[in-house]
């Protein structure tokens, strides 16, 4: 508890605020009267973000303003602002070949599998999303080139050793994740209740350029998942990190306590155990995510090797386990959060 104190604004303060607002309007009116080519704003740090506008599904093309606004790094903006205040005349040139086109647009999933020899109808899914934001300078490495590479390499490993699992191992690269988990949701909607019941688990690698360091799991799933990941522990050692790149299965109580910002949430919403790999390591996710910094040099080879090998081994062990991964009732801790999965991904 704390006391509240209320104060009435003085006439002088109100008048000053009104004068400032009127001054701002007058300045903006004078700027607009010069018919400017556009506006330059600051990103507030050294990253230039690329993402979608809010509520873009509901907006029509005519709802978008026609004024041009260019967002630049804070250091670039500070330089431009300082030179302007000094009265320096200069020219700023931008390549703005931007186009808005009305949808809908098709998005596609890429799916391959190793058929099960004994129970082909039962499935383990290893996946990532294949789409990324095509921002200035971005190559989509963090989100989600590394996850895509890990999925493909896990498939290559199992194919190279001639794996013959009892259950089917399915590899999926989801499309339209950045627009609201569209690919994974569409895939799930295409399945029958029986097909959904036969999915043992779906794993998603979408956490950046670190290694697969663990997953959250309901308590009754921990034993199965710990056994499936055990062969990785103590094998991969990072000289740079000074430690083994092990996998930690984190018990989270009666249900899986996870978030709703990637394709695993679409499976959880359908009652299928969906797992988002904990990415552990020295990479800083926010440095590259949705920015101009998301280039190939952010990928860390030893982490990719651990992740691809772990994904392959987990899939193979679960495909040969005595039974499907245990599930008891609802598998997702925050079911209501899954309802907001598309919105959460959109807001990213």
């Amino acid at each position: 508890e704390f006391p509240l104190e209320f104060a009435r604004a003085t006439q002088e303060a109100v008048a000053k605020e009104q004068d400032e607002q009127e001054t701002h309007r007058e300045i903006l009116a004078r700027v607009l009267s010069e018919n400017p080519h556009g506006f330059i704003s600051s990103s507030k740090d050294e990253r230039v973000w690329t993402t979608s506008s809010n509520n873009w599904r509901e907006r029509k093309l005519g709802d978008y303003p026609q004024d041009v606004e260019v967002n630049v790094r804070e250091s670039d903006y500070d330089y431009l602002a300082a030179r302007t205040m000094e009265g320096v005349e200069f020219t700023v040139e931008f390549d703005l070949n931007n186009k808005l086109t009305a949808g809908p647009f098709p998005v596609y999933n890429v799916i391959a599998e190793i058929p099960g020899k004994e129970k082909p109808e039962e499935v383990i899914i290893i996946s990532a999303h294949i789409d990324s934001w095509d921002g200035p300078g971005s190559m989509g490495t963090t989100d989600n080139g590394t996850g895509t590479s890990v999925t493909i390499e896990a498939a290559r490993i199992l194919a190279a050793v001639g794996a013959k699992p009892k259950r089917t191992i399915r590899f999926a690269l989801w499309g339209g994740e950045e627009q609201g988990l569209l690919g994974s949701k569409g895939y799930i909607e295409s399945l029958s209740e029986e097909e959904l019941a036969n999915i043992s688990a779906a794993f998603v690698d979408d956490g950046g350029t670190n290694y697969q360091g663990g997953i959250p799991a309901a308590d009754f799933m921990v034993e199965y998942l710990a056994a499936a990941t055990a062969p990785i522990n103590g094998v991969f050692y990072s000289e740079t990190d000074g430690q083994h790149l092990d996998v930690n299965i984190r018990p989270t109580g009666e249900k899986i306590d996870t978030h709703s910002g990637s394709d695993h949430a679409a499976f959880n919403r359908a009652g299928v155990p969906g797992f988002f790999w904990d990415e552990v390591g020295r990479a800083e996710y926010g440095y590259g995510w949705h920015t101009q910094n998301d280039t190939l040099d952010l990928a860390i080879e030893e982490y990719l090797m651990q992740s691809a090998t772990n994904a392959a081994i987990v899939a193979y062990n679960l495909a040969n386990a005595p039974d499907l991964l245990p599930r008891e009732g609802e598998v997702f801790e925050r079911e209501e959060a899954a309802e907001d999965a598309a919105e959460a991904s959109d807001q990213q």
Side-chain angles (χ1 to χ4, degrees), residues 51-64 133 178-180 340 342-348:
T51 186
S52 63
S53 62
N54 294 335
N55 302 317
W56 62 272
R57 287 193 190 87
E58 289 73 34
R59 300 178 71 174
K60 306 298 183 182
L61 289 187
D63 296 338
Y64 287 90
W133 287 110
E178 297 290 0
Q179 289 72 46
D340 300 326
E343 180 178 351
S345 182
D346 182 23
Q347 295 302 320
Q348 288 179 353

Side-chain angles (χ1 to χ4, degrees), residues 134-271:
D134 185 19
S138 174
M139 298 174 68
T141 301
T142 296
D143 187 20
N144 184 31
T146 46
T148 297
S149 300
V150 163
T151 302
I152 295 173
E153 176 64 5
R156 189 202 64 80
I157 291 172
L158 291 173
V161 300
K164 294 180 173 55
K166 295 180 180 179
R167 297 180 180 84
T168 295
I169 301 176
R170 189 164 294 154
F171 305 93
L173 301 177
W174 311 116
E177 190 271 351
E178 297 290 0
Q179 289 72 46
L181 317 184
L182 302 182
S184 54
K185 289 171 62 178
Y187 172 77
I188 290 169
E189 291 170 359
S190 72
L191 302 179
S192 66
E193 290 296 326
E194 182 180 2
E195 288 172 319
L196 289 172
N198 279 327
I199 299 177
S200 181
F203 297 89
V204 171
D205 189 313
D206 182 26
T209 58
N210 282 313
Y211 67 89
Q212 293 182 356
I215 44 175
D219 292 351
F220 55 84
M221 302 174 177
V222 170
E223 183 178 358
Y224 252 53
L225 294 172
T229 57
I232 286 291
N233 294 335
V235 174
F236 288 88
Y237 184 81
S238 170
E239 294 290 347
T240 304
D241 297 351
Q243 65 180 18
H244 283 97
L245 309 182
D246 292 343
V247 182
N248 175 40
I249 307 301
R250 299 187 288 108
T252 59
E254 296 180 357
K255 300 176 184 178
I256 305 171
D257 185 3
T258 186
H259 61 87
S260 58
S262 191
D263 293 296
H264 68 294
F267 286 92
N268 283 321
R269 185 177 181 181

Side-chain angles (χ1 to χ4, degrees), residues 21-53:
Q21 293 176 351
E22 183 61 29
T23 299
H24 291 160
R25 284 194 290 267
E26 291 177 357
I27 292 174
L28 182 58
R30 291 175 60 184
V31 170
L32 292 175
S33 69
E34 296 293 332
N35 193 26
H37 292 294
F39 300 86
I40 300 175
S41 61
S42 172
S43 70
K44 302 304 182 183
D45 60 26
E46 289 305 286
R47 295 169 292 183
V48 179
W49 298 87
T50 302
T51 186
S52 63
S53 62

